Amino acid sequence: RKEVEQDPGPFNVPEGATVAFNCTYSNSASQSFFWYRQDCRKEPKLLMSVYSSGNEDGRFTAQLNRASQYISLLIRDSKLSDSATYLCVVTHTSGTYKYIFGTGTRLKVLA
Amino acid sequence: DAGVIQSPRHEVTEMGQEVTLRCKPISGHNSLFWYRQTMMRGLELLIYFNNNVPIDDSGMPEDRFSAKMPNASFSTLKIQPSEPRDSAVYFCASSSLGAGDTQYFGPGTRLTVL
């Protein structure tokens, strides 16, 4: 079992729709959580950190559920420009600090 | 401000040749990471440095891969000899405080080994 798992998708949604992705992690000692966005043939870029209390940035909301060991990303009012792959990242210390990427969830927003 | 700089952006080489990938981290960042990304395996951490010292190289696939960071502004990832299965996009990333902080990625080097 992978340490960080995501549904690869693709999620095909119409413009204006609300879409949510989950990411599960296996290490209960995980410490920090992030969502990155990667456009086709580009590098990953930080979208937002995920805080225990949940956090929002415009149309994007991230939440953490430590009991069930998953993080989520909600995108409201989807835009064509939201089409990308969304990577979750989980960190923990096991000897050395680990920064572990999920394989990503691909989103396509359709006109 | 300049971001992470990688060179070359594209590399096509033949099996058995030596390949050297280069990275200049963001000035002031003290951690540097090398990743490999393929469709099958996603983004894999190969090695990371903190203050120019290799901290975790458990992701380096085998002895054909080596990485160095001679100073705070430069790192190399070398593959010798290269094999077709090394074909991938190689990203370098840097961060300012440690491995748990936001990482800023370079544009990547797309390597094709024929």
Side-chain angles (χ1 to χ4, degrees):
Chain A
R1 183 187 171 192
K2 291 182 180 177
E3 198 163 348
V4 178
E5 295 202 71
Q6 294 183 253
D7 181 339
F11 284 57
N12 296 321
V13 302
E15 267 189 294
T18 295
V19 62
F21 313 131
N22 281 347
C23 168
T24 59
Y25 59 94
S26 60
N27 190 325
S28 60
S30 296
Q31 295 162 295
S32 302
F33 308 87
F34 305 89
W35 283 102
Y36 277 70
R37 170 192 169 131
Q38 185 173 24
D39 292 298
C40 187
R41 302 180 79 85
K42 297 286 190 179
E43 71 272 25
K45 293 183 179 178
L46 179 70
L47 178 65
M48 58 197 304
S49 301
V50 186
Y51 303 121
S52 297
S53 55
N55 48 299
E56 190 173 303
D57 182 2
R59 298 182 292 108
F60 298 83
T61 300
Q63 293 195 313
L64 166 64
N65 185 317
R66 284 196 181 272
S68 300
Q69 295 184 197
Y70 73 87
I71 63 173
S72 64
L73 178 67
L74 180 80
I75 306 175
R76 290 181 299 278
D77 189 21
S78 300
K79 311 292 184 191
L80 294 176
S81 57
D82 294 334
S83 298
T85 296
Y86 292 85
L87 303 160
C88 68
V89 175
V90 173
T91 75
H92 62 82
T93 303
S94 57
T96 59
Y97 220 108
K98 298 288 186 184
Y99 200 92
I100 303 166
F101 279 83
T103 52
T105 296
R106 190 171 164 213
L107 171 67
K108 292 183 71 174
V109 181
L110 307 172
Chain B
D1 286 339
V4 176
I5 299 171
Q6 290 187 247
S7 65
R9 295 291 304 276
H10 301 273
E11 176 82 29
V12 180
T13 191
E14 293 187 344
M15 183 173 64
Q17 296 298 305
E18 177 179 296
V19 175
T20 299
L21 311 182
R22 297 173 176 79
C23 176
K24 177 177 169 57
I26 293 172
S27 178
H29 282 189
N30 65 347
S31 294
L32 183 141
F33 307 81
W34 281 102
Y35 290 90
R36 176 173 68 177
Q37 188 173 40
T38 61
M39 288 292 292
M40 292 298 294
R41 300 172 67 91
L43 200 60
E44 301 174 281
L45 177 65
L46 300 177
I47 185 170
Y48 91 84
F49 296 84
N50 189 253
N51 294 322
N52 311 339
V53 176
I55 302 299
D56 183 358
D57 65 354
S58 59
M60 294 286 264
E62 50 198 89
D63 291 347
R64 298 185 298 106
F65 285 69
S66 62
K68 294 182 180 179
M69 191 165 186
N71 57 61
S73 59
F74 183 65
S75 177
T76 60
L77 177 68
K78 186 175 292 188
I79 308 172
Q80 166 62 17
S82 58
E83 297 182 2
R85 61 193 168 118
D86 301 330
S87 298
V89 180
Y90 291 81
F91 288 106
C92 175
S94 69
S95 70
S96 60
L97 292 177
D101 295 280
T102 302
Q103 296 189 10
Y104 296 86
F105 282 74
T109 295
R110 187 170 295 274
L111 174 64
T112 303
V113 183
L114 303 175

